[in-house]
Amino acid sequence: MDRWPTSRLLSTAARLVELAWNEKLRPLGLTYPAVLTLDTVATAGPITPGKLAESVRVQAQTMGPLLSRLESRGYILRQPNRFDRRSQLVSITEVGLALLEQSHRLESIVLSAINLDSGILREELLAIVRHSR
């Protein structure tokens, strides 16, 4: 690993954190993509599925089944868009917000097992994401 390029280290670290977080999320009936989706809806407010997929950086076809699962469990609502009858708006429910708070606490547990300065790491990761947009 000492000879791996930084991009491989970053990709591997991201995957390992995602796997650990999925393990913690399983008892809540959530997955990492579900949490990303709930987080985006909570932050953006009512949002179209297309904009949501773009924000989460997945294909629109991937977002549909995920939204169906979240809606069937009562975590989100899909309602007609009054400004464009051809589309819907996705919003988060109170149950979804409560579950999202629980998932954030679990995330901190996953990362607390690693002895690092998460503030500095966060700033560096933000720089990568901002530069890549």
Side-chain angles (χ1 to χ4, degrees):
M1 286 186 291
D2 291 338
R3 298 183 64 143
W4 286 4
T6 303
S7 59
R8 183 174 180 190
L9 286 169
L10 182 60
S11 176
T12 301
R15 184 69 181 134
L16 291 171
V17 168
E18 182 178 338
L19 288 170
W21 200 14
N22 272 334
E23 191 66 33
K24 298 282 186 200
L25 292 169
R26 188 170 292 120
L28 298 178
L30 291 176
T31 61
Y32 177 71
V35 170
L36 292 179
T37 301
L38 290 174
D39 218 0
T40 302
V41 173
T43 302
I47 186 171
T48 65
K51 290 284 184 192
L52 182 56
E54 184 180 306
S55 183
V56 176
R57 296 186 180 224
V58 298
Q59 297 293 320
Q61 306 89 293
T62 303
M63 187 56 67
L66 177 55
L67 291 177
S68 292
R69 281 193 305 278
L70 293 173
E71 185 177 38
S72 72
R73 294 177 178 156
Y75 305 154
I76 63 159
L77 288 174
R78 286 191 277 189
Q79 299 174 311
N81 183 344
R82 65 183 181 148
F83 300 109
D84 180 358
R85 290 184 289 169
R86 296 169 296 163
S87 71
Q88 297 178 322
L89 291 176
V90 179
S91 57
I92 193 165
T93 65
E94 291 298 319
V95 173
L97 281 172
L99 211 53
L100 186 57
E101 283 182 33
Q102 284 182 285
S103 75
H104 286 171
R105 286 192 295 275
L106 292 174
E107 178 188 22
S108 65
I109 291 169
V110 167
L111 295 177
S112 70
I114 306 164
N115 185 22
L116 54 82
D117 187 332
S118 60
I120 292 172
L121 176 61
R122 181 174 174 74
E123 288 302 316
E124 291 172 345
L125 292 172
L126 282 168
I128 292 170
V129 171
R130 286 182 180 128
H131 179 74
S132 300
R133 284 190 158 184

